[in-house]
Amino acid sequence: LPMALRNLYFQWRELQIDGRSPRMTELQVHHLVGSEHSTILTEAIFDADGAISDFIFLFLDTHLRNGRTQQIPGKGLAQLPGKGPGSRIWGALAACITGGVPLRASFPYVGPDPAYDKTCDVLLPVADDTGRHRYVLTGVIFLPPSAPSII
């Protein structure tokens, strides 16, 4: 795991108590934003049967927002072309929520900067006040085509 993401992971670990994921009320996202990685916070939306029906973007740091032509916070992942159920990003977020453990992932870069073609991500589960995994804190670094695949 690259150092920038390792630092985020260890900050998340420091918030754990007795091995349980930090709760949202214990998380201060603005303290977890780094200059060497981008930060995303998503919330899983559950249907009446308890299945994940969408992921809502709650927070994207300025590095990510500056590269977007559309406003993402408040939107559901299912609203974005190619990002809904069955997509790799959906699967990774769902696995983080259902498994309740950190995950590493890599995705194709989608954005305006031609200097990048992939990402390296760490997905960290965050619980609600009842202890149910409902949020995912994601650290992202962007990698150029020449970078070896980290995952």
Side-chain angles (χ1 to χ4, degrees):
L1 196 62
M3 188 57 70
L5 297 180
R6 195 175 306 162
N7 290 340
L8 178 64
Y9 170 76
F10 286 125
Q11 287 176 305
W12 175 86
R13 286 284 310 243
E14 286 177 9
L15 294 172
Q16 287 185 302
I17 297 173
D18 297 327
R20 70 165 175 79
S21 295
R23 294 188 179 193
M24 184 61 146
T25 54
E26 300 163 336
L27 197 68
Q28 296 180 346
V29 175
H30 62 281
H31 289 296
L32 300 174
V33 172
S35 61
E36 297 178 355
H37 71 272
S38 293
T39 307
I40 303 168
L41 182 66
T42 51
E43 178 182 5
I45 305 301
F46 298 93
D47 64 20
D49 296 324
I52 297 172
S53 62
D54 207 349
F55 293 95
I56 303 297
F57 290 95
L58 300 179
F59 176 83
L60 277 81
D61 68 22
T62 53
H63 179 78
L64 287 166
R65 286 195 314 268
N66 289 341
R68 303 284 178 206
T69 58
Q70 56 183 328
Q71 287 296 97
I72 300 290
K75 285 196 176 190
L77 193 62
Q79 292 176 273
L80 303 175
K83 307 292 184 201
S87 69
R88 287 182 57 215
I89 185 68
W90 185 286
L93 289 167
C96 186
I97 291 285
T98 58
V101 296
L103 298 174
R104 288 176 24 174
S106 181
F107 302 100
Y109 170 77
V110 178
D113 193 335
Y116 305 115
D117 76 339
K118 57 187 160 287
T119 67
C120 179
D121 306 55
V122 61
L123 291 80
L124 305 166
V126 177
D128 62 17
D129 286 340
T130 69
R132 179 182 193 180
H133 291 109
R134 177 176 296 274
Y135 306 96
V136 178
L137 176 67
T138 304
V140 180
I141 59 171
F142 303 108
L143 301 173
S146 60
S149 181
I150 296 175
I151 304 300

